[in-house]
């Protein structure tokens, strides 16, 4: 009986599962890279434990004829790489799932009666090629054959990927790949396995990259030249990226002793003319909230990247959630304006992080880029970034002798000078201050500064919001709302539903809430919101701002992002 | 530079009459005037407390940030623009209490900044609780039976941390302290000057007289490059030595080793992202 | 022409104004104490600068035949004690304001043409009595005479107040008081000044104390036996109070190195069986928010006193505001329940702080007592505290061998054990954990723990809220809403209005919002809210919870609490 | 006590095979077993990191709190119940980086707790960034050109802070380290044991071999009560001494001087507010 891996669908969902430290990420990188080069769309996402070795982690790689960028429950092809692998994903297996693996590794964890299992002896192949460590490459070879990729392409990619290694190692990798390739090609040729995917040569021009890279590139594009942070999953990748590029791009990057130092450093850096950011997660940001209030008080621009993960406290350190919106929205003592972006894919991550620097600088307010582990650690094939819009709008003025840092202006924004650029003195104070930046206890001045800093500037940033994107027909009866990284899963669920009367509204700016929100919501007969948290924080915000209470709330907070199927099922049940 | 350029004229200074802070302000102004510090290149950074108000009382650029966080901001200001002279100045509570972690790690980082600490052995602004440097048995409204925490010895700790310049001064000694300030500012790297400062309102134990009676200067032939000796002298109690305890010229400041300054000397505010390189970087994700 | 200080009103508003360090607080203590002993109601409140000497501070003392507990703009009698004093309160003076002072001190700051000035030569009197420092006592003597207090009562009080001083000092004080007493009595006798106040001997049984003392006493009553904090205005008084009573009541009180340590210490203390609290202000609490999330995750009880002051950042350190409600409400990463009380007077400060410990312990959640500088630093005459309701409900269990800290129970509350009490082991973890407290990454367990910790317990605390208090007729058309320390000013404004169709609703529990809120609001034709902040944070919360948008919002954020007159005028303009 | 009582059975330990943490776990269990520590009186307190997972792997009461905050919780637990034996155990990043301020002030407070620090000179759990103790030039994904911050010397700093017990051990030496642990737990006051611990995954510089080759024990006749000598030995580099560097029995722990224990020996959980005194206190506001 032939097994079809695609079954008329445009994509195959491959899941690699094994222990931390086994090299699943390498398999992912290799396979994703080869597939993209071959002309497939690729999306890969990982779920992993908070440990360095052992346990059970998995990576889903969707290889597709059409663009795909979402996490699905469905597993078409499972490559279990450790004994505990099958158990780890057991509840996502179906009768259609094909398991390809190695009995030496799997032992009795695989059950021929229950599982749809085909053996390829990865370990043996690897040992023949030069050692156990080549088992990963063998898996790549096997998968490449099933995906109808030419062996020569595999070889070429391997040579590039391992170019820093010895030629012996490269050869061994090729040997392992080739041997496994032959075995699985035989399966395909025998007709036991079927797979239908279309290749598109233009995809070669696309990029294959993850959310963390997109945020980092956006930062560099936005003129970021200073980053101070303290490592914290899942945000560390951005710090690492910038550190790696520090020399090339002339960035000052410093690992601080704690998040408090990181925040106060970045604020100090802005004061001296840098464009600075911090990258952290909810728990680290909690320590920065006093600093946030400082930034607001001295009207310093500030860019804060929060990669969300499940809390409270340490929570599930390597997993995903969307539960820190309220934190970003209300953090800090006292009252002040702020801006919150929440990109749903790498394109938006790049462009919003870039924009964050310009908006922060223009209005002298803190701007948040709110992502999460899912977005940061997933990799997507995407069209080339559009750099034509990248403008590094600087809003610094050269000071003259009479310069006043907090001069009262019509719109509330005081021209921002920095020390050492011009003849003036630049004085900023965390106490209430007058136009010169000197401490005051005058109630009149206090009132004026509150008007300027809080009320006028709130007005300004309300006028420069990014509209939510409507996906689907304008003529909807049901409106599904999502924000940030749930975007692609929600969108694919809508496609599965395939209904004209259901549309999706994707918010990438959460605060100030774009004014279009109310109109979109009012038009709907039924509203449904999808949030990766327990208390529907964005629905609450919408209620507060528009008075509209979203009827149905779909929540998930177990540490995983939404599966496409979950959203599909939940919405389908409601409409 | 004429000291008048530093004066703000007839301002209302929020310190108590007789406070040791006045002495430090005076010494600071004289120092800056005598070393001909160009005003636009000087940045004063402080936290919150009585001492931390000092930048308010002279003409200068200043960043008066959060309680305890002066060193973090000061470090970054120096990192962002190496042509600025940065002085981080605050109280003992600010620097050694709330800011203790930054004290440790700033010393490890060794940025080229000067750190002046007004050590009045008390929390002045919040009305007289113990500070980390308060002496044992000092009684306060919170330390009712007297302080029992071992007093923080900033010099010994700084030396243990390999700080590159460590000194102690007294606000009552204009000339000597001025010389120490000058050396500290000239020092290339992090320089700590802990300044004994009487708080006439809340510290009735460590008064002007107490400081006068219980301090003396390190000998003229004292060698400040001997770390072990410096530690020993820093541990002296009863009579506290004043002067420069320790200097080390072998360590380079962080900012002179930073990747971001390897190929570009300009301060950060003059930089633009290199779009050609950025495009290449993005293109690298095609493979 | 005779000046009446009371003009038919039941009270006289006396304002003392001078520099920091001049001893205004002593005058306040003496005068308030003597007045209360004499049988007057007393309320005194201070506004002062963030400095130790100099500047200009003022204290209002209202002496009254009826209970009064609110701040009024009106000054009936001003005692300026420094040259800058009159200017400092200039905009509160009216033609009716009588200024009593000393030309030596006031110089040309007093203007006979403009001001209603009567001289009493305090300095001269003081010097005759033994030295300038007795000028304060002279002022007390003068005021006592005007208030028709017997000189013998003054003497008696002085003797008690200065009992730790030498008899010479006591005598000098008495001399100064007597001399000034005679002078002002002469004024009264001559008919130049009139004053009508009734004495009530039963007032002697009342207490005269401030908000900070009330919070502290409430804490002790609630079984608080551990306090770790870092000094920060205006909350330090609570730390000081507990430190002073540590030996007597067996409390462990420690000044921490920073707020982070303070919070983590208090949480550690609860773990080991103490009843712990922190006392801080918004900026200090900002540093505790990571710890808050920890308390929530390990289901530790926690009591947090926040004395609000104006922000952002350092703001106006010694002044008042109500702008940290959102902070208390949303602080901390991840999602978890909490309780927020906001007492409006010492009685409620005492009883709610007491209750905070029981509720925190019962539900194992963080409980906030949200006060502000105004409440903490004001002193009130109030009836004896009702200690009959003071119960120290302990919810600790003795563990047995199989003890599981997070056992799943029907209502979500797991019996709380502590180490060293029983045979079991008590394991708590900031990571997601199983019933035993061990780290888990099981999604099933995560879901169950979120259900228990967040969803079920939220339900429980929603069922145990304190209803808002309605002041006025049930039959209102206009409903005025207030919370926390604005209570008395709003109440007195309502009395001034004297209308049957306007009632006041005072909230002392803000979160969970008491369910009665909606009904009260729905009944009103018009709603008005009074908040000491700029963004009407409580109105927003009401909107979120009830869907009702309060029509009129009266805000103040200049650092002072509301004057009765301000509320009166604002409400009067609206109805 | 039989060591079996400490075992949790067949558990999944999240450390990498070969990690130095296993050695420390083994030593800790042996220590507790040999000193006959009653389980219900022991509380392990940790932060976040690989090292901080240790309480998960033995039967004990534990408080596994926030990254960097173990000492604060540990101190309070001891203050709340003096009959508990409290061990605060975590990584070098946890204790000296995020937790640096508590390190300083806990030493000043001198609570009777034991502080064991797994010093692998790297951030393990977050995948290999530099920790405060990382050696100069150690390369990581963030410290791309190598570490430039001067390595934190916990022993020297602790001695500068007048810590009452300061020791260094190596996870590879079972017997010697066990002896040090025992002394530390028995010590009345704060006891620091910095334990060299190889991280086989992220630290390829400071390996088992490196630690073996670069350590030796303090001489048998070494006098740990001489603070100056202790400081000097703590500053040694190249070859790092192991053993007990410094002890001081003259300082009493904070909790033994606390007002709250003056008239009442009971742990806090056994106390009730004294209503009679409370009524009197309230009544005092009548005057
Ligand atoms: C986060 C935070 N905590 C507490 C305070 C309150 N506070 C202001 S100044 C100060 C202590 C000042 O002591 P010190 O630094 O020694 O300065 P001094 O007034 O003695 O010069 C404190 C605790 C604050 N502003 N911020
Ligand atoms: C506030 C906060 N910041 C950052 C983190 C992320 N984090 C977890 S463990 C760790 C460092 C661990 O290093 P170390 O303490 O040396 O322990 P090791 O893993 O090396 O044993 C960091 C930065 C966190 N959990 N909390
Ligand atoms: S309180 Fe002390 S430190 Fe502050 S100004 Fe007064 S005397 Fe100086
Ligand atoms: S990462 Fe390093 S410290 Fe952590 S378990 Fe692995 S070897 Fe040990
Ligand atoms: Mg001080
Ligand atoms: Mg480590």
């Amino acid at each position: 009986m032939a097994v079809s891996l695609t079954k008329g669908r445009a994509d195959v969902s491959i899941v690699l599962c094994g222990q931390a430290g086994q090299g699943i990420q390498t398999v992912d990188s290799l396979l994703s890279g080869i597939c993209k080069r071959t002309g497939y769309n690729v999306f890969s996402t990982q779920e992993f434990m908070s440990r360095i070795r052992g346990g059970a982690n998995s990576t889903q790689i969707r290889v597709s004829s059409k663009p795909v960028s979402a996490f699905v429950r469905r597993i078409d092809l499972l490559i279990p790489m450790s004994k505990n692998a099958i158990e780890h994903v057991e509840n996502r297996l179906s009768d259609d799932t094909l398991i390809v693996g190695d009995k030496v590794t799997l032992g009795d964890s695989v059950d021929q009666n229950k599982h749809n299992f085909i053996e390829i002896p990865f370990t043996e192949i690897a040992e023949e090629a030069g050692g156990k460590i080549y088992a990963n490459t063998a898996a790549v070879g096997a998968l490449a054959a099933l995906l109808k990729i030419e062996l020569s392409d595999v070889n070429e990619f391997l040579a590039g990927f391992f170019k820093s290694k010895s030629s012996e190692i490269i050869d061994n990798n090729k040997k392992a790949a080739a041997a496994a390739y032959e075995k699985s090609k035989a399966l395909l040729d025998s007709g036991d396995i079927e797979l239908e995917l279309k290749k598109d040569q233009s995809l070669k021009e696309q990029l294959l990259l993850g959310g963390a890279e997109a945020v980092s590139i956006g930062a560099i594009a936005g003129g970021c030249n200073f980053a101070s942070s303290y490592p914290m999953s899942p945000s560390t990748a951005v710090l690492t990226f910038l550190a790696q590029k520090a020399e090339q791009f002339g960035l000052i990057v410093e690992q601080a002793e704690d998040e408090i130092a990181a925040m106060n450093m970045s604020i100090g850096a802005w004061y001296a003319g840098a464009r600075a950011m911090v990258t952290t997660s909810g728990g680290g940001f909690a320590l920065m909230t006093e600093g946030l209030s400082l930034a607001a008080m001295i009207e310093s621009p500030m860019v804060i990247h929060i990669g969300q993960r499940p809390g409270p406290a340490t929570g599930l350190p390597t997993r995903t959630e969307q539960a820190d919106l309220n934190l970003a929205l209300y953090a800090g003592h006292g009252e002040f304006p702020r801006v919150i972006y929440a990109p749903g894919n790498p394109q938006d991550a790049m462009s919003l992080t870039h924009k964050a620097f310009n908006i922060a600088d223009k209005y002298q307010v803190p701007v948040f880029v709110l992502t999460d582990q899912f977005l940061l650690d997933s990799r997507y094939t995407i069209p080339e970034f559009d750099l034509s819009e990248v403008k590094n709008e600087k809003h610094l003025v050269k000071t003259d002798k009479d310069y006043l840092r907090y001069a009262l202006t019509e719109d509330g924004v005081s021209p921002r000078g920095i020390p050492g650029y011009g003849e003036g003195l630049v004085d900023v104070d965390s106490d209430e201050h007058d136009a010169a930046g000197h401490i005051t206890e005058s109630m009149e001045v206090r009132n004026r500064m509150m008007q300027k800093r809080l009320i006028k500037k709130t007005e300004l940033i309300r006028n420069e919001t990014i509209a939510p994107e409507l996906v689907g027909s304008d003529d909807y009866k049901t409106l599904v709302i999502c924000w940030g990284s749930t975007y692609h899963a929600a969108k694919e669920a809508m496609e599965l539903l395939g209904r004209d009367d259901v549309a999706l509204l994707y918010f990438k700016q959460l605060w100030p809430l774009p004014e279009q929100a109310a109109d979109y919501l009012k038009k709907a007969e039924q509203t449904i919101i999808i949030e990766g948290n327990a208390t529907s924080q964005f629905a609450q915000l919408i209620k507060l701002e528009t008075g509209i209470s979203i009827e149905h709330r779909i929540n998930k907070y177990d540490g995983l992002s939404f599966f496409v199927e979950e959203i599909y099922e939940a919405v389908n049940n409601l409409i | 530079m004429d000291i008048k350029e530093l004066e703000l004229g007839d301002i209302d200074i929020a310190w108590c009459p007789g406070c040791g802070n006045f002495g430090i302000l005076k010494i600071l102004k004289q120092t800056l005037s005598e070393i001909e510090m160009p005003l636009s290149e000087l940045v004063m950074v402080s936290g919150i407390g009585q001492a931390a108000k000092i930048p308010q009382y002279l003409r200068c650029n200043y960043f008066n940030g959060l309680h305890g966080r002066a060193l973090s901001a000061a470090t970054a200001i120096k990192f962002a623009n190496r042509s600025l002279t940065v002085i981080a100045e605050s109280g003992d509570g600010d620097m050694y209490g709330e800011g203790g972690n930054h004290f440790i790690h700033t010393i490890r980082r060794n940025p080229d900044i000067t750190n002046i600490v007004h050590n009045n052995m008390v929390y002045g602004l919040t009305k007289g609780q113990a500070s980390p440097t308060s002496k044992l048995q000092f009684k306060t409204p919170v330390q009712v039976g007297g302080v029992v925490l071992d007093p923080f010895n900033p010099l010994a700790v700084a030396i243990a941390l390999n700080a590159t310049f460590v000194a102690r001064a007294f606000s009552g000694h204009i000339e000597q302290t001025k010389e120490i300030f000058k050396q500290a500012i000239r020092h290339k790297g992090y320089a700590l000057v802990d300044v004994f400062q009487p708080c006439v309102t809340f510290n009735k134990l460590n008064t002007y007289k107490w400081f006068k009676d219980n301090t003396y200067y390190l000998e003229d032939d004292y060698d400040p490059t001997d770390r072990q000796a410096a530690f020993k002298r820093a541990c002296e109690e009863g009579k506290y030595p004043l002067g420069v305890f320790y200097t080390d010229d072998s360590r380079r400041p962080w900012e002179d080793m930073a990747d971001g300054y390897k190929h570009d000397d300009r301060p950060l505010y003059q930089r633009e992202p290199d779009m050609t390189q950025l495009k290449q970087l993005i293109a690298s994700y095609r493979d």
Side-chain angles (χ1 to χ4, degrees), chain A residues 285-304:
Chain A
F285 176 65
L287 291 164
M288 297 179 170
T289 59
E290 193 202 11
L292 180 75
S293 183
L294 170 66
M297 186 55 148
I298 64 173
E299 301 192 52
S300 171
M302 188 60 213
V303 176
I304 298 141

Side-chain angles (χ1 to χ4, degrees), chain B residues 14-16 19-21 50 120 124 197-202:
Chain B
W15 292 325
C16 310
C19 174
N21 284 327
Q50 296 286 55
N120 56 4
Q197 170 240 324
C199 166
V200 297
T201 303
F202 294 115

